[in-house]
């Protein structure tokens, strides 16, 4: 059995990292491992290739399989459901195509604590998880082929 590793950095919300680890532990891991989507919020209306590459590397370091494409938005709405990329990610969790979503921080889901908690409640209900790259995580080997 594979050891589960939880990448969490949940300083935004009052329930903190413990709840994210609990969500990961409660998620139903398929026999061939978790499939996760990577999601980022960009400052400019261009695909954040470097950020997505780092998220992909982090997910791989956790032995998670990354869904076929990455998701991102340039919209900074505090309501993630108002963002097209996030809606696609939510549909994938609802449909059971992915078991988790990886972002750099909780703020990429929402900077509003109540809104973030609502997302976590939905994920908990679906037995899926959110993972955020810990501040101290560093890629083991740089990906020399990525542009960003």
């Amino acid at each position: 059995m594979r050891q589960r590793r939880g990448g969490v950095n949940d300083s935004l919300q009052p329930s903190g990292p413990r709840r994210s680890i609990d969500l990961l532990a409660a998620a139903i891991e398929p026999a061939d491992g978790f499939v996760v989507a990577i999601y980022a919020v960009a400052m400019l209306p261009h695909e954040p290739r470097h950020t997505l590459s780092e998220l992909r590397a982090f997910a791989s370091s956790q032995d998670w399989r990354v869904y076929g494409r990455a998701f991102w938005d340039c919209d900074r709405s505090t309501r993630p459901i108002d963002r097209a990329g996030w809606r696609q990610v939510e549909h994938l969790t609802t449909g059971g195509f992915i078991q988790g979503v990886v972002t750099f921080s909780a703020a990429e889901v929402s900077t509003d604590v109540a809104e973030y908690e609502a997302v976590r409640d939905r994920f908990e209900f679906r037995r899926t998880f959110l993972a955020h790259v810990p501040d101290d995580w560093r890629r083991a080997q740089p990906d020399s082929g990525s542009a960003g």
Side-chain angles (χ1 to χ4, degrees), residues 6-10 58 62 103-105 131-138:
V8 287
N9 178 4
D10 289 334
F58 173 74
Q62 304 301 302
T103 70
F104 261 106
S105 70
H132 309 300
V133 178
D135 291 335
D136 62 351
W137 180 82
R138 296 289 179 258

Side-chain angles (χ1 to χ4, degrees), residues 5 14-15 34 36 39 42 44 91 95 108 126 136-137 140-141:
R5 291 178 277 182
S15 55
F34 288 120
V36 296
Y39 177 81
L44 300 171
H91 288 303
E108 290 194 330
R126 295 178 193 140
D136 62 351
W137 180 82
Q141 293 180 298

Side-chain angles (χ1 to χ4, degrees), residues 26-41:
I28 300 170
E29 183 173 8
D32 54 352
F34 288 120
V35 177
V36 296
I38 55 175
Y39 177 81
V41 175

